[in-house]
Amino acid sequence: MDQSESPDERITDDDFSTTVRTWLADNLTGDFARLRGKGGPGSEHEFFEERLAWDRHLAAAGWTCLGWPKEYGGRGATLSQQVLFHQEYAKSGAPARVSHIGEELLGPTLIEFGTEEQKRRFLPGIKTVTELWAQGYSEPGAGSDLANVATTARLEGDRWVINGQKIWTSLAHVAQWAFVLCRTEPGSKRHQGLSFLLVPLDQPGVTVRPIQQLTGTSEFNEVFFDDARTDADLVVGEPGDGWRVAMALLTFERGVSTLGQQIGFARELHGIVELAKANGADNDPNIREKIARAWIGLRVMRAHAMRTLEAGTSGSEASVAKLLWANWHRDLGQLAMDVRSAPSLLAPMGPGSNIADPEHLELDEWQRLFLFTRADTIYGGSNEVQRNIISERVLGLPREARP
C-alpha cells in the first residue's frame, strides 16, 4: 500500500459512504435537527443563519470542498467519493448549502484559472464559509444570450471601474463578493473583449435590490454598478479572455453536485407518491402513469450524469443534462398539483398543513414546488439555448439565423 495516500484514498467506497452517513446522523441533531429538508430553490430564505452555521460546522469537520486539491485546503476526494458524499448528504435530508456558489463554482474556477495570489486570498474564505459569493452573469439584455453582456469595466490606474446592471443574481443580498462578467474592451462584440472580475459588493458603488418571485420569496436580485471598483489584479485569467473562464465555470456548475440534486428530486417524488396513496389519487391510472414516467426520468438523468462524469463533462453534454432535469422537475411540480387535485388551489390552513416556511405562510411545500419549477426551464440557460447548443455542436445542424 502506498503510505503517501490519504486515509480517504485507502478506504473502500462502502466505508466512505458509511463514514459520511454516520457523521451526518451524529451531527444533524440538537439545533441542527430542525434544518432537515430546509432551504433549496424557492426556499433559500428558510433558516438562513442556521444553515450558514451548519455549513461552517461542515467546514470545521472537513466536509467542504471535497474535490479540491489538498494543497488548496480540499480533501482531494476521488470522483466516486464526491458522488457518494452528495448522495448521502441528500438522503440524510441535510439542509441546502448556502455556500454552493463559492465552493462548487468559483473555487474550481480559481484553482484552474486563478493566480496563486488569488487562490491564497479567496480559497480559504470559501472553504471555511466566511465569505459568500454571487454570480454576476445575466443582465436585462443578456440572459439566455449571455454573450450580449453590456456591463463595462475600464482600468484606471490600479483599479477596475465597473458600470452596468446584473439581474437574477442569486443570493447577492447575503454575499460579500461577486464574480462579474464585464466588457473590458470598448467596441468589442459578443464573446470577444470580456473579462471575469472579482468584485466586493459592500461598497458605495454597488446597489442590491431583491426581486420578489412568484413564491413570494426573494432569492434573486438586481445588482447595479455605478463606478464600483475592484483591484486591477482581481481579473481571473487574462483580460479579454473572460468568456472562456465563464464557460468553464458553467461546466463545474453542472458537475458532480447534480447527482445530489437528483437524490433531492427522488425525495420529492417519494413525497408525491405518499401523498397519492394518502388521498387515493394512486387509483387514477393517469396519475399512476405519470408517476411511473417520473421514476423512469430519474433513472435516465442518473445514467446520463454517470456517463458524462466518467468521460469528462463537455458543454454539450451539460446542455443535455440541463434539458433533462429542467423539464423533469417542471413536470414534477405539475404532478404534485395533479395529485392534490382541487385542494392545490387553496392556501394551507390549520396545524396539519405541514407549512415548512416560517416567513411566508401562504404556500405549502407542493404549491411552492409547482410555482418555483416554472422557472427551471429558464434559469441556468433556457431550454431554447440548450437545444441550439445541442443542434449545432452535437448534431452539426446549421446555426440559427441571427439578425
Side-chain angles (χ1 to χ4, degrees), residues 133-389:
W133 287 80
Q135 180 177 5
Y137 275 18
S138 294
E139 300 180 3
S144 294
D145 186 8
L146 184 59
N148 239 358
V149 162
T151 295
T152 63
R154 67 182 185 277
L155 197 57
E156 291 187 357
D158 61 352
R159 307 274 278 174
W160 292 99
V161 180
I162 305 159
N163 285 279
Q165 178 188 357
K166 298 293 180 177
I167 199 167
W168 312 121
T169 313
S170 299
L171 304 182
H173 59 297
V174 296
Q176 291 81 43
W177 288 81
F179 46 92
V180 182
L181 193 60
C182 299
R183 194 163 297 281
T184 53
E185 295 179 8
S188 61
K189 297 183 183 298
R190 303 293 299 166
H191 313 91
Q192 307 302 315
L194 299 173
S195 296
F196 189 103
L197 304 182
L198 308 178
V199 181
L201 295 179
D202 186 14
Q203 59 169 302
V206 176
T207 302
V208 178
R209 296 179 184 170
I211 301 170
Q212 189 176 55
Q213 299 152 202
L214 194 61
T215 54
T217 58
S218 302
E219 71 181 84
F220 296 119
N221 302 267
E222 295 179 283
V223 182
F224 298 87
F225 299 95
D226 298 295
D227 285 341
R229 296 172 184 270
T230 196
D231 293 342
D233 61 354
L234 294 187
V235 55
V236 180
E238 295 296 325
D241 195 29
W243 184 258
R244 183 169 68 100
V245 179
M247 292 301 101
L249 182 141
L250 291 180
T251 299
F252 294 128
E253 183 178 22
R254 297 164 186 169
V256 173
S257 61
T258 59
L259 288 167
Q261 176 194 51
Q262 290 169 24
I263 300 296
F265 288 169
R267 191 165 58 237
E268 290 173 341
L269 176 59
H270 175 74
I272 291 172
V273 171
E274 292 303 306
L275 181 63
K277 291 178 179 177
N279 69 5
D282 61 330
N283 293 319
D284 184 333
N286 291 322
I287 295 293
R288 295 175 69 89
E289 179 180 351
K290 290 177 180 178
I291 290 174
R293 288 184 179 277
W295 184 88
I296 293 169
L298 263 181
R299 303 303 297 177
V300 170
M301 279 190 280
R302 177 174 173 78
H304 177 75
M306 295 302 297
R307 181 183 63 191
T308 54
L309 286 170
E310 290 168 358
T313 306
S314 71
S316 56
E317 290 163 336
S319 293
V320 173
K322 175 59 171 61
L323 273 179
L324 286 173
W325 76 254
N327 290 328
W328 183 92
H329 203 218
R330 175 202 59 200
D331 293 345
L332 188 73
Q334 181 62 60
L335 175 58
M337 296 298 95
D338 292 343
V339 167
R340 291 197 64 206
S341 189
S344 67
L345 301 176
L346 303 176
M349 298 179 64
S353 59
N354 191 30
I355 296 172
D357 182 344
E359 298 179 24
H360 301 82
L361 302 183
E362 69 276 10
L363 299 174
D364 68 18
E365 60 180 315
W366 303 119
Q367 291 168 325
R368 187 186 301 115
L369 175 70
F370 169 73
L371 292 174
F372 192 85
T373 55
R374 302 303 90 190
D376 282 348
T377 59
I378 302 172
Y379 73 80
S382 71
N383 277 9
E384 292 76 12
V385 169
Q386 304 308 326
R387 291 189 179 105
N388 282 344
I389 291 172

